[in-house]
Amino acid sequence: MSQLPSRHARRARATSPKMHRPLDRRSLVLRSGIVALMAACGVVMADLADAQQPPPPTPQANAAPPFGATGPEQGGRLEVVVPSSGPASGAAAGKPQDPPVLLGADTVTFDEANSLVTASGNVELSQGARTVHADTITYNQKTKVVIASGNVRLVEPSGDILFSNYAELTDDMRDAFVENVRVLMTDNSRMAGAEGERRGGRLIRLNRAVYSPCELCKSDPTRAPVWQIRAARVVQDNEDHEVRYRDAFMEMFGVPFFYTPYLSHPDPTVDRRSGFLTPSFRNSSELGFGAITHYYWDIAPDQDATFDLGGYSNQGVFLGGQYRKRFENGRLQLDASGTQGEIPNGTLKGADDRRWRGHAFASGLFDIDETWRWGFNLKRASDELYLRRYFNIRDEVLTSRAFVEGFNGRNYAAVNAYSFQDLRWGNTVQEPYVLPEARYNALGEPGSLLGGRWSLDSSLLAIARPGSGGPDTQRVAMQPGWQRDIYSNLGFVTTIEGSVLLAGYTAQRFDPNDPASTGNDSVQRLRFFPQAMTTVRYPFVRYGESSFQTIEPIGQISVSPKVDNDPAFPNEDSLDVEFDEVNLLMPNRFTGIDRLDGGLRATYGLRTTFQGYKTGSASLFVGQSFRADDTENFRGGSGLDKKSSDYVGRLDLRPADWLDVNYGFRIDHDTLKPRRHSVTASAGVPLLRVAGTYTYVDQTENPYVVERNEVEQAGISVLSQFSEHWSIGVSHSQAFRPDAGPRASAGVLRYQDECLIFETIAQRDYTVIQNGEQEGNTIFFRFVFKNVGEFRTPGISAGFLGPSGASN
């Protein structure tokens, strides 16, 4: 491989005078092939004027042109294909030969006195995946240096393109020197430098350079991009696929705001690789100032891991990590952390309770065969506030589950095991273990039985409460069913269905008067419950020019034995009922089968819809049910405790993209006062869009009393996309009853373009977790730089928003 001479020698030679003489057509073809061979493959050429050199053979008819040339001229342009120049001995020794070379140019001249060969006019010189384009390419036979000038483009095998007006290359094009270089990477990222070098076909080194993945301003490309990295030296390693910086400043809109002596990140060809990630910082009145370093380990194509190491000024060292692996038949993920600190575990901050705390999560899903699979999702924390303090995870209950399940056509079977950890402050109720919870569901094909389809639902349940947390319960149940739809010529749609529930119960430490508490009895119970239902619908449809409308009256009769939900039966899945339009037409309005909705009842409803062919839709449903006998199965205030139920319904309205309203309601059938409102609405355009939610529930058992048990709260958010890249959003939630006051507020100012996401986030949490202590206020900034990583500033305690107890 030839080495480039010194920079001063290169520039002097580039400006030296040349002597040219035109070549005749026959020798042009021959010598052009030799020029391409020299320039791209490093062949040592003897003097063309040497009389001792034997003359070339005379071409025979239909013989191929010399050196693979496609011909002396093609539309006024010369193109020459040159085979590999590697010696035969090298090939015989097993050494790979260089790929062939293609030279294309409008004209080629030869300066015999200075041993210079010049190709000009849309010159293209390529070997394999590496190509050079220029207005002029000159090859010096003595120094074996190729000089390209005028609109130079060097295309790398990786797809990156180097632009310049002047470049010098070795004859194998692996080493190069480029002045005022600009690099366009495969993801449209850009680098530019005062000068650049390519070494060994691997390294591209730029001095006094900048890098940015941001697009340049269309009206003024000379303006600084949104952000860029300016460094004394930038090296792109095409073998390690990495970009490295020395003495780097990160700039936004041309203003430096961060300095680092060393920085690296993968180039655009890399999906993932091992290395340090952007560290995270945090400030909390509970934990103090924290700094966490993250290291990513690319173990193999099918597995990786992340390690977290750091600490907080008011606490101890923090350790954490995640591990992920994919198998041929499934996937596995582990997540854990630990620290030593004084986060309260039943006591306030400041108590002498310094000990190791942490969390452990694990999940997996694996295929056994085409029908069966198994998996797990395990979650545990050391105490109530650990996840809330360190990760801002506010789950009230952590649910762990292990399962095996199978799918076969319309059949489904599963065996589950559950464990719960209650993280609600001050809650002392013992959480049960569920082992097992098994079920099998099967559904026949339409018309397979008496013109309808059969079904089978079966289950097995075992619940254990260690200590004195309540009764231990076991239940086995089976419920076969049948359903058929009948369509009459008059337009009636009739659905006939029936089912029979068979259930057996056993319970230990059971209290017949209060199934939720611990007793001294052991009981065994059997339950037989048949039920039949007939539902009739009569849809009317009207088609218009731009829309169609339907009006559908619905009537239903349900027949079953009158059930006295004796508390002597254990109750594990029907502790509460929420009556609404969803379960109005269901056979059982309870959430499970431990309590049943029996007797003779009639239900009616009306559904109407409007649907535009292009846009716009609306639907309304209203209904009520009547019971033949009084019942005490439902508590007062549920809407089902009388013979006549409350009125329930739902309105969905979307006349256009700028408005979307969903409203559910329940109205007392005697007083016509609202017992439940649930509204979700969104209106506006991207410039200004307002969304809100409102919930009102009256849980009063007697609708005529003055003191009422009511829950009322609302939330509102406003979002404005006021420019192409900028948006702002604010939100607030407020409780009105029973304890009036704010619950949470937040505001986000966001900038997003093709290379940067910047957010200013302000949050306030009014939640009181213990002894009057509030969660507090926080303001922090979040940056996401394309190809570099994410950076989040420490949270700043926002005292001007009001008093705070913590800053997360």
Side-chain angles (χ1 to χ4, degrees), residues 394-415:
R394 308 195 171 205
D395 294 347
E396 294 184 341
V397 177
L398 298 181
T399 302
S400 298
R401 176 195 178 207
F403 64 92
V404 178
E405 60 183 358
F407 306 83
N408 186 4
R410 298 180 177 89
N411 305 328
Y412 173 76
V415 178

Side-chain angles (χ1 to χ4, degrees), residues 537-578:
R537 298 179 288 120
Y538 193 75
F540 298 89
V541 182
R542 183 178 68 86
Y543 294 96
E545 295 182 357
S546 59
S547 63
F548 69 90
Q549 181 182 1
T550 63
I551 299 177
E552 185 180 45
I554 302 173
Q556 182 185 84
I557 298 293
S558 175
V559 180
S560 62
K562 184 179 178 181
V563 176
D564 181 10
N565 285 310
D566 192 336
F569 281 92
N571 185 6
E572 301 290 354
D573 61 9
S574 304
L575 296 177
D576 198 6
V577 60
E578 182 177 353

Side-chain angles (χ1 to χ4, degrees), residues 95-111:
K95 297 180 180 179
Q97 292 186 333
D98 293 329
V101 178
L102 172 65
L103 170 69
D106 292 341
T107 61
V108 178
T109 59
F110 181 58
D111 182 350

Side-chain angles (χ1 to χ4, degrees), residues 143-272:
T143 62
K144 296 181 175 59
V145 173
V146 179
I147 298 176
S149 59
N151 299 313
V152 179
R153 288 181 297 151
L154 283 71
V155 182
E156 295 293 295
S158 63
D160 297 343
I161 305 176
L162 284 71
F163 297 90
S164 179
N165 282 323
Y166 180 84
E168 298 181 11
L169 304 91
T170 54
D171 51 9
D172 59 0
M173 297 197 298
R174 294 176 61 82
D175 293 351
F177 168 81
V178 185
E179 289 185 343
N180 296 322
V181 61
R182 303 176 306 280
V183 182
L184 178 63
M185 307 176 80
T186 54
D187 67 341
N188 289 327
S189 299
R190 295 170 174 84
M191 290 193 298
E195 56 186 21
E197 293 180 283
R198 182 175 63 197
R199 292 295 182 184
R202 169 183 175 178
L203 300 178
I204 299 176
R205 184 173 62 189
L206 279 65
N207 296 325
R208 303 188 300 280
V210 295
Y211 165 84
S212 177
C214 304
E215 296 181 358
L216 298 178
C217 178
K218 297 180 181 179
S219 59
D220 185 8
T222 62
R223 290 177 54 185
V226 174
W227 71 268
Q228 63 183 7
I229 300 175
R230 187 180 299 275
R233 175 173 293 178
V234 180
V235 177
Q236 181 182 3
D237 192 328
N238 288 322
E239 195 168 291
D240 290 342
H241 302 287
E242 185 177 53
V243 182
R244 299 186 287 267
Y245 305 84
R246 296 286 185 181
D247 293 331
F249 285 88
M250 182 167 283
E251 300 179 352
M252 293 193 66
F253 303 102
V255 179
F257 74 97
F258 178 75
Y259 167 78
T260 178
Y262 176 81
L263 177 67
S264 69
H265 63 80
D267 69 18
T269 64
V270 176
D271 291 330
R272 64 182 197 180

Side-chain angles (χ1 to χ4, degrees), residues 627-694:
R627 189 182 308 277
D629 301 310
D630 290 328
T631 180
E632 297 180 356
N633 292 333
F634 298 94
R635 63 172 179 81
S638 64
L640 292 168
D641 53 310
K642 306 295 183 181
K643 288 185 177 181
S644 297
S645 76
D646 289 347
Y647 302 101
V648 293
R650 182 176 183 85
L651 171 67
D652 296 310
L653 180 63
R654 191 175 184 182
D657 292 339
W658 54 267
L659 179 61
D660 191 352
V661 179
N662 308 107
Y663 170 51
F665 58 89
R666 178 163 66 88
I667 299 175
D668 190 280
H669 69 283
D670 286 333
T671 65
L672 298 182
K673 291 182 178 180
R675 304 301 298 267
R676 180 179 61 86
H677 291 305
S678 177
V679 182
T680 301
S682 175
V685 294
L687 180 60
L688 180 63
R689 192 165 188 90
V690 180
T693 61
Y694 174 78

Side-chain angles (χ1 to χ4, degrees), residues 319-639:
L319 301 173
Q322 302 84 40
Y323 173 77
R324 296 160 291 269
K325 181 175 177 59
R326 281 193 173 274
F327 302 86
E328 290 185 0
N329 65 331
R331 61 182 183 268
L332 171 69
Q333 180 169 337
L334 307 176
D335 185 352
S337 69
T339 187
Q340 190 176 34
E342 297 178 356
I343 298 302
N345 184 28
T347 58
L348 287 175
K349 175 182 176 294
D352 187 12
D353 189 21
R354 191 174 184 86
R355 58 187 175 86
W356 278 99
R357 309 172 188 277
H359 86 282
F361 291 173
S363 63
L365 182 63
F366 302 90
D367 293 330
I368 300 174
D369 53 31
E370 294 183 355
T371 301
W372 294 93
R373 68 181 185 181
W374 71 277
F376 59 89
N377 188 4
L378 309 178
K379 295 183 178 181
R380 275 296 184 267
S382 60
D383 48 72
E384 295 93 334
L385 298 180
Y386 178 80
L387 293 174
R388 192 182 191 99
R389 285 286 184 257
Y390 281 88
F391 298 97
N392 199 31
I393 296 177
R394 308 195 171 205
D395 294 347
E396 294 184 341
V397 177
L398 298 181
T399 302
S400 298
R401 176 195 178 207
F403 64 92
V404 178
E405 60 183 358
F407 306 83
N408 186 4
R410 298 180 177 89
N411 305 328
Y412 173 76
V415 178
N416 298 275
Y418 292 93
S419 174
F420 308 94
Q421 183 181 8
D422 196 332
L423 301 182
R424 290 172 291 185
W425 179 257
N427 188 11
T428 59
V429 176
Q430 179 76 30
E431 294 297 327
Y433 294 95
V434 180
L435 179 65
E437 188 274 327
R439 65 183 63 188
Y440 174 72
N441 307 105
L443 186 64
E445 294 186 4
S448 59
L449 180 63
L450 302 176
R453 66 194 312 171
W454 59 268
S455 64
L456 176 64
D457 298 323
S458 58
S459 64
L460 176 65
L461 178 67
I463 297 178
R465 294 179 173 90
S468 59
D472 296 340
T473 304
Q474 301 82 42
R475 184 191 72 195
V476 58
M478 180 177 296
Q479 187 172 20
W482 176 82
Q483 177 180 309
R484 179 181 179 182
D485 293 331
I486 301 174
Y487 302 90
S488 72
N489 294 332
L490 297 177
F492 288 96
V493 179
T494 303
T495 301
I496 303 174
E497 54 188 313
S499 64
V500 177
L501 174 64
L502 302 171
Y505 294 83
T506 63
Q508 300 81 38
R509 294 180 299 168
F510 184 72
D511 184 356
N513 297 317
D514 186 2
S517 63
T518 304
N520 299 317
D521 292 350
S522 295
V523 297
Q524 294 82 35
R525 297 286 188 270
L526 293 176
R527 169 164 280 172
F528 175 77
F529 182 75
Q531 187 175 29
M533 296 178 60
T534 300
T535 306
V536 180
R537 298 179 288 120
Y538 193 75
F540 298 89
V541 182
R542 183 178 68 86
Y543 294 96
E545 295 182 357
S546 59
S547 63
F548 69 90
Q549 181 182 1
T550 63
I551 299 177
E552 185 180 45
I554 302 173
Q556 182 185 84
I557 298 293
S558 175
V559 180
S560 62
K562 184 179 178 181
V563 176
D564 181 10
N565 285 310
D566 192 336
F569 281 92
N571 185 6
E572 301 290 354
D573 61 9
S574 304
L575 296 177
D576 198 6
V577 60
E578 182 177 353
F579 178 50
D580 56 20
E581 73 283 354
V582 176
N583 58 10
L584 172 68
L585 297 170
M586 287 186 176
N588 186 19
R589 268 79 70 92
F590 285 101
T591 55
I593 62 173
D594 288 343
R595 295 294 181 264
L596 298 173
D597 185 8
L600 175 64
R601 72 172 186 266
T603 305
Y604 76 93
L606 178 68
R607 179 183 290 113
T608 178
T609 63
F610 172 90
Q611 180 68 57
Y613 295 141
K614 295 183 178 180
T615 185
S617 64
S619 65
L620 173 65
F621 174 80
V622 179
Q624 185 188 27
S625 68
F626 299 93
R627 189 182 308 277
D629 301 310
D630 290 328
T631 180
E632 297 180 356
N633 292 333
F634 298 94
R635 63 172 179 81
S638 64

